[in-house]
Amino acid sequence: MATEVRRDVVVLEARAERAEGGWGPAVRAASLAGVVAAWELAARLGGIPSVFLPPPTAVAAELLGMATGGELWRSLQASLVRIVLGFLVGTGVGVVVGTLAAVSPLAEAVVDPLIAATYPIPKIALLPLLVLWLGIGEASKVAVIAIGAFFPVAVGAMAGIRGTDPQLVRAAVSLGASPFQVVTKVRLPAALPVMFAGFRLAAGMSLLLVVSAEMIAAAEGIGFTILHAGDLMQTPKLLAAIVVLSALGVLSTWGLQALERRVVRGRAH
Amino acid sequence: MQVRFESVHKTYRRRDGIEVPALAGVDLAVASSEFVSLVGPSGCGKSTLLLIAAGLIPPSSGRVVFEGDAGGRPRTAVVFQEFALFPWRTVLDNVAFGLEVRGVGRAERLERAAALVRQVGLSGFESRYPYELSGGMRQRVGIARALCVDPAVLLMDEPLSALDAQTRQLLQEDILRLWEATRKTVLYVTHNIQEAVFLSDRVVVMSRRPGRVREVLPVPFPRPRTEALLADPEFGRFCHRIWSSLKEEARAALEETHGDGSPA
Ligand SMILES: Nc1ncnc2c1ncn2[C@@H]1O[C@H](COP(=O)(O)OP(=O)(O)OP(=O)(O)O)[C@@H](O)[C@H]1O
Ligand SMILES: [Mg+2]
């Protein structure tokens, strides 16, 4: 039998590689534009009553009217003040409490069961109680947002600080760091990425709670606008307010990402 | 600064309550400006001994005596196997860390840190972050960071184990050069016998766990040493002599590990 010699030759050559980011911004923009266009068509040609689904152009016109008429800025300001105050208070206390619980066994024993018991409560359920304590004004709304923002940050800070590489702590102590310096110069910086995950959750929580709180007890704000427009069947206004919420969510995510890039150093982003 | 270990014992208590004896009476004196290496089977307590010397964990009994005038300098600084650099600090800020926590002013500490960065051959990398460096460069930062506080005693725990063979060889020579320039008291843990012999004045062979000093061997090769020493047949014979001593312990340690199933 003849011996057959088969020679397979495989050549790997240079070839164009697709950029790391995958599909470019064009497709991303087209995805959004496509949905808006389909919506516009459905609303205009599909015979859907405007009360159910006004076309995006009508929503945009409404948004413009709200902006020029000043209503948009009034409700935006009302909501933003609540969000920002609640977020700052909640995350500030969250960082402090989470840090203490992570570095002090006593604080941990005090705080851990309290957090475990209260974390699962849907925070909006506390609003009536807060209104009872703080009145129907701003304080109760800020408080409920602060409570909502507190938990993810406290839990994130605790996890991040406890999870600090023990070798880094050893290195710091061996170089002469005091227990306080170990916290400020090692544990907190090491925990920052996890804390930022908490900040992002807290921002989402703040948005959710401001709308809920304004729907329950407020005379202005984005949440109030949505509820009120719904009651009056002003669907374009309702959708305009929702668009504003979406923008707020996207902007807060971008803002936090930008801050994280500035603050969290020394890692490949 | 002289370091004396006097009957140092250490027993770890694990979370489940089981006691693990790691060191069972280590007696050892390291003279001022002496370079001493510790070799021994894995798990025999070398790292434990270094951590005790660094004051990071207390001995269960016995003591470590530092004798000599530290002149206000810190007693010890440690170089870790896994580098343990602060990932959010630049090279320069990593090196300056010890001075920073000791309250040395910014200008002065950065100047001293920069000088050390230069000394370990990392000029130009001052503002890089650790993730941007190779393993060898990272450990240079680790060494510079420890030297920057000007410790009386330098403790090094397998500083080159995480590096490839060539980088390792280069860093050995750099360590030798740095030591000759500073003449610090050094306690150096390694698994590599050639490395121990090449660098040290004396090599301490430890027994298997719980660790004790099994044998202390003065290294007969004169300084300054160069790479050429590695090719010297006498060097090979001396290394082999240490390996024979170590082998019995290592083999017995391995058999004990398999015997009772407990981790090394
Ligand atoms: N925190 C701890 N808790 C319990 N046991 C420990 C602890 N640290 C170390 N041990 C045990 O003590 C013994 C000595 O550990 P050590 O790390 O000092 O050994 P080593 O000689 O440095 O080992 P290697 O050569 O592998 O680095 C080992 O058996 C180890 O499992
Ligand atoms: Mg070790």
Side-chain angles (χ1 to χ4, degrees):
Chain A
M1 196 201 257
T3 326
E4 189 186 337
V5 179
R6 279 197 52 187
R7 291 183 31 163
D8 288 334
V9 180
V10 176
V11 181
L12 300 177
E13 289 182 309
R15 65 188 151 85
E17 287 178 86
R18 190 184 287 164
E20 280 264 316
W23 287 99
V27 178
R28 290 157 195 278
S31 156
L32 197 59
V35 169
V36 172
W39 172 8
E40 182 81 31
L41 282 178
R44 290 210 181 271
L45 309 175
I48 304 171
S50 176
V51 179
F52 290 142
L53 191 67
T57 42
V59 175
E62 176 67 33
L63 195 56
L64 199 65
M66 286 164 75
T68 48
E71 183 187 354
L72 173 64
W73 310 118
R74 275 194 303 280
S75 38
L76 200 55
Q77 187 190 359
S79 295
L80 273 180
V81 166
R82 293 165 187 150
I83 292 177
V84 170
L85 280 179
F87 181 84
L88 288 181
V89 171
T91 54
V93 176
V95 168
V96 172
V97 170
T99 304
L100 284 177
V103 300
S104 146
L106 176 65
E108 182 192 354
V110 172
V111 167
D112 234 18
L114 292 179
I115 287 189
T118 49
Y119 198 9
I121 301 172
K123 303 305 169 290
I124 196 66
L126 300 174
L127 186 63
L129 188 65
L130 292 168
V131 169
L132 212 58
W133 290 347
L134 303 171
I136 193 88
E138 292 304 301
S140 54
K141 287 184 268 298
V142 170
V144 79
I145 294 168
I147 292 171
F150 165 82
F151 284 96
V153 174
V155 171
M158 255 193 281
I161 288 172
R162 284 200 195 125
T164 307
D165 181 357
Q167 279 278 59
L168 293 184
V169 174
R170 263 186 187 159
V173 173
S174 74
L175 288 164
S178 68
F180 182 74
Q181 286 172 322
V182 167
V183 174
T184 56
K185 290 185 188 287
V186 182
R187 289 189 181 274
L188 279 173
L192 265 187
V194 187
M195 272 198 250
F196 262 96
F199 290 149
R200 278 196 294 274
L201 286 174
M205 189 60 90
S206 305
L207 211 55
L208 178 78
L209 285 170
V210 80
V211 172
S212 314
E214 286 170 353
M215 285 182 168
I216 294 170
E220 56 179 349
I222 307 284
F224 170 81
T225 305
I226 290 174
L227 192 71
H228 194 65
D231 285 345
L232 301 176
M233 305 234 283
Q234 295 172 332
T235 321
K237 188 184 237 181
L238 191 159
L239 284 169
I242 288 177
V243 168
V244 171
L245 282 179
S246 161
L248 275 184
V250 170
L251 286 178
S252 69
T253 304
W254 282 356
L256 282 172
Q257 276 172 352
L259 186 67
E260 182 169 358
R261 271 197 297 273
R262 282 191 60 89
V263 174
V264 178
R265 295 171 179 234
R267 288 177 185 80
H269 289 293
Chain B
M1 173 84 60
Q2 188 208 59
V3 192
R4 230 169 37 240
F5 297 87
E6 295 180 353
S7 179
V8 170
H9 289 73
K10 178 70 188 182
T11 301
Y12 287 107
R13 187 186 292 278
R14 293 199 324 210
R15 273 179 198 279
D16 54 16
I18 294 174
E19 299 201 327
V20 183
L23 295 172
V26 171
D27 286 287
L28 176 68
V30 182
S32 202
S33 295
E34 191 182 23
F35 196 123
V36 170
S37 286
L38 285 177
V39 298
S42 186
C44 76
K46 304 179 294 293
S47 298
T48 302
L49 196 67
L50 242 56
L51 292 177
I52 290 173
L56 290 168
I57 57 173
S60 305
S61 72
R63 54 184 200 158
V64 186
V65 181
F66 290 83
E67 238 172 57
D69 185 13
R73 300 181 300 163
R75 275 198 312 276
T76 58
V78 187
V79 179
F80 297 89
Q81 178 180 353
E82 306 295 347
F83 320 138
L85 303 180
F86 305 114
W88 55 87
R89 283 177 171 252
T90 61
V91 165
L92 196 63
D93 286 339
N94 261 286
V95 174
F97 184 89
L99 297 178
E100 182 180 325
V101 296
R102 292 187 140 82
V104 175
R106 190 183 154 76
E108 186 187 344
R109 69 175 186 252
L110 291 185
E111 191 181 318
R112 282 167 65 181
L116 267 148
V117 169
R118 232 173 293 128
Q119 238 185 317
V120 298
L122 285 179
S123 296
F125 292 91
E126 288 83 354
S127 50
R128 299 295 185 87
Y129 288 93
Y131 78 90
E132 299 174 290
L133 306 180
S134 68
M137 292 159 90
R138 286 183 206 184
Q139 193 56 298
R140 286 170 196 275
V141 178
I143 292 169
R145 183 177 67 175
L147 287 176
C148 195
V149 295
D150 193 21
V153 179
L154 187 61
L155 304 166
M156 304 176 90
D157 191 1
E158 300 192 43
L160 308 185
S161 291
L163 306 178
D164 65 85
Q166 284 128 44
T167 308
R168 201 179 170 124
Q169 186 61 46
L170 290 173
L171 259 133
Q172 272 179 32
E173 286 164 38
D174 289 339
I175 289 173
L176 203 56
R177 185 175 51 75
L178 282 169
W179 179 78
E180 269 155 13
T182 58
R183 289 281 163 167
K184 288 202 178 301
T185 311
V186 179
L187 194 52
Y188 188 100
V189 171
T190 177
H191 276 286
N192 186 318
I193 296 173
Q194 277 85 359
E195 184 176 303
V197 174
F198 182 64
L199 293 173
S200 311
D201 298 313
R202 288 188 297 155
V203 177
V204 176
V205 181
M206 286 181 69
S207 72
R208 63 188 180 275
R209 187 177 69 83
R212 272 188 210 91
V213 173
R214 178 188 156 101
E215 205 174 356
V216 181
L217 295 123
V219 178
F221 307 108
R223 296 182 189 272
R225 296 176 191 157
T226 63
E227 227 184 319
L229 177 60
L230 301 174
D232 186 337
E234 276 307 314
F235 181 84
R237 262 193 289 280
F238 189 72
C239 290
H240 188 76
R241 157 92 181 72
I242 295 175
W243 169 235
S244 325
S245 175
L246 192 57
K247 192 164 66 176
E248 289 170 38
E249 292 293 338
R251 180 158 292 144
L254 213 57
E255 273 157 17
E256 281 169 16
T257 308
H258 290 307
D260 65 14
S262 75

